[in-house]
């Protein structure tokens, strides 16, 4: 049994930002504020077999609001909120990972998050279509994830990952939590068919997700596939050509903001 523990201290001092009133041309300073967070973490790791490891971890994390979170008008769709407080998360997780020689790997975990001062864009706070980032109070996230990879031969690899997450707004049940699907699946395959060549395919499925805090906007479920061909030209240089959204699906992560259809890319990668 191994016990690992640590603690970090984070401090954020906001920069000075000004607001320009376009009608009066008057510049006024936004309110500034500093924030800090103490973030402890501890984990217990137990080797169940030669290859299997069970873990139990606890941590607390602080997410400071960004400049965009505090001050952005989002092209007229939001009102700044310089008074945003940091978001604080207490995270519990239990998991297990194992492997079977060079043929397969497996991992699974269950998690529970208690969140204070959750930061979220609340819709229609001033007028229809205009929102504001706010600390909406306490929330609870919980779920599990499971994944693994198999290696049928030395040049073939397949893998998949599934995540389930359930979220609950404890302070204001009438405010919907947004932008995270309850179910998410990712799969991939890789064929190393020649010494310097690889063919890689992947697919993703996301269930529907709420896009507005009033629950009226829903981004529908979707599935997309991608493929690419990679060539290792020399030791540190790869060239990749591929197609994203291979079947030209219509899909959105946020309702009203469609993602790209079928698109092609060419990358040159050099590793230093």
């Amino acid at each position: 049994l191994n016990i690992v523990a640590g603690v970090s201290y984070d401090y954020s001092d906001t920069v000075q930002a000004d607001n320009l009133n376009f009608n009066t041309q008057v510049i006024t300073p936004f309110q500034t504020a500093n924030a800090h967070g103490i973030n402890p973490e501890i984990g217990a790791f137990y080797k169940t077999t030669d290859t299997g490891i069970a873990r139990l971890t606890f941590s607390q994390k602080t997410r400071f609001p960004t400049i965009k979170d505090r001050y952005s008008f989002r092209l007229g769709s939001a009102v700044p909120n310089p008074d945003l407080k940091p978001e604080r998360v207490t995270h519990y997780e239990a998991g297990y990972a194992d492997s079977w020689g060079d043929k397969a790997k497996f991992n699974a975990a269950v998690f529970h998050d208690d969140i204070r001062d959750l930061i979220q864009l609340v819709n229609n706070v001033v007028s229809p279509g205009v929102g504001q980032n706010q600390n909406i109070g306490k929330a609870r996230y919980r779920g599990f994830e499971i994944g693994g990879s198999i290696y049928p031969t030395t040049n073939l690899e397949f893998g998949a990952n599934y995540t389930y997450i359930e979220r609950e707004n404890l302070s204001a049940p009438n405010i919907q939590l947004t932008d995270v699907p309850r179910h998410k699946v990712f799969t991939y395959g890789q064929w190393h068919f020649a010494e310097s060549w690889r063919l890689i395919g992947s697919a993703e499925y996301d269930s529907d997700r709420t896009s507005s805090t009033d629950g009226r906007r829903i981004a529908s479920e979707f599935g997309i596939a991608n493929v690419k061909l990679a060539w290792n030209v020399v030791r540190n240089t790869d060239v990749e050509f591929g197609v994203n959204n291979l079947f030209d699906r219509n899909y959105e992560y946020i309702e009203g903001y469609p993602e790209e259809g079928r698109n092609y890319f060419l990358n040159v990668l050099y590793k230093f």
Side-chain angles (χ1 to χ4, degrees), residues 1 29 35 42 52-53 64 78 87 99 102 123 137 170 177 181 259 261:
L1 178 67
I42 186 170
I53 297 178
F64 297 110
E87 184 178 286
S99 62
D102 57 358
N123 302 97
L170 301 177
L177 302 180
E259 297 295 317

Side-chain angles (χ1 to χ4, degrees), residues 157-175:
E157 176 182 350
F158 300 99
N161 180 271
Y162 168 71
T163 302
Y164 172 84
I165 184 168
E166 183 179 277
R167 306 188 302 158
E168 185 178 0
N169 188 339
L170 301 177
S171 297
N174 59 311
I175 298 179

Side-chain angles (χ1 to χ4, degrees), residues 66-79:
T66 65
I67 293 175
K68 183 177 180 179
D69 289 336
R70 288 178 180 270
Y71 304 124
S72 177
F73 285 90
R74 297 176 183 263
L75 301 176
S77 65
V79 176

Side-chain angles (χ1 to χ4, degrees), residues 94-152:
Y96 182 76
D98 206 343
S99 62
W100 293 271
D102 57 358
K103 293 299 183 181
K105 294 180 180 179
F106 166 82
N107 63 81
V110 295
F111 58 86
H112 179 108
D113 291 345
D114 291 318
I115 306 173
R116 293 182 291 124
D117 296 322
L118 176 67
I119 298 172
Q120 184 168 286
L121 181 68
V122 178
N123 302 97
N124 306 323
V125 294
V126 177
S127 60
V130 180
Q132 184 184 52
N133 280 317
Q134 296 181 358
N135 296 108
I136 63 172
K138 296 180 180 179
R140 179 169 58 212
Y141 294 4
R142 53 191 174 187
F144 67 91
E145 57 184 354
I146 184 170
S149 303
I150 59 173
Y151 310 87

